[in-house]
Amino acid sequence: MVKRISEQLNPVVDPNMNFVNPLSPALIVDDEKDICYLLNSILRRKQIHAQLAGSLAEAEKVIEKQSPSLIFLDNHLPDGLGLEYIQKLKHANPRARIVMITAHDNASEREKAYQEGADYFISKPFTKDVIYRTLEQFERNKTVE
């Protein structure tokens, strides 16, 4: 039996663990396990709890149960393009900050992502410093309420 990526990667969270970062909770939507592990590890260092989804359908199930403040969204997913999902995410949670992450970085995709409502656009591969700078920018601008 094959487990969905969210079942494989979402850790059991200690109920006594306090996540105080205003960017928590977050949602990582990517079908690449390595990217999910990396992002989750980086976010945990900043005390941000993240739910993980390997597809747009899995992301939708997470969003039905909680309202993530921060969403890392891959563009090329098994069940569709993240670019085409941004407005749905924004409609479901207008305060959410969306960071597009993709290996297919080009000017037209960047422009479309921003037009659809993405707050940042990050190319793969990325480093933890790029993620830290993005988080710091959100915190500095107080874009999450």
Side-chain angles (χ1 to χ4, degrees), residues 1-51:
M1 181 168 132
V2 177
K3 291 184 178 180
R4 293 180 310 208
I5 194 167
S6 60
E7 293 172 336
Q8 295 172 9
L9 300 178
N10 283 327
V12 175
V13 177
D14 178 356
N16 298 322
M17 189 176 289
N18 294 318
F19 290 94
V20 295
N21 192 310
L23 295 172
S24 193
L27 173 61
I28 300 168
V29 186
D30 201 308
D31 59 330
E32 294 180 58
K33 288 183 197 178
D34 292 345
I35 297 296
C36 290
Y37 284 130
L38 175 62
L39 273 172
N40 194 34
S41 174
I42 292 168
L43 294 176
R44 288 183 69 81
R45 287 188 188 120
K46 292 290 188 176
Q47 297 183 320
I48 299 172
H49 173 68
Q51 289 284 13

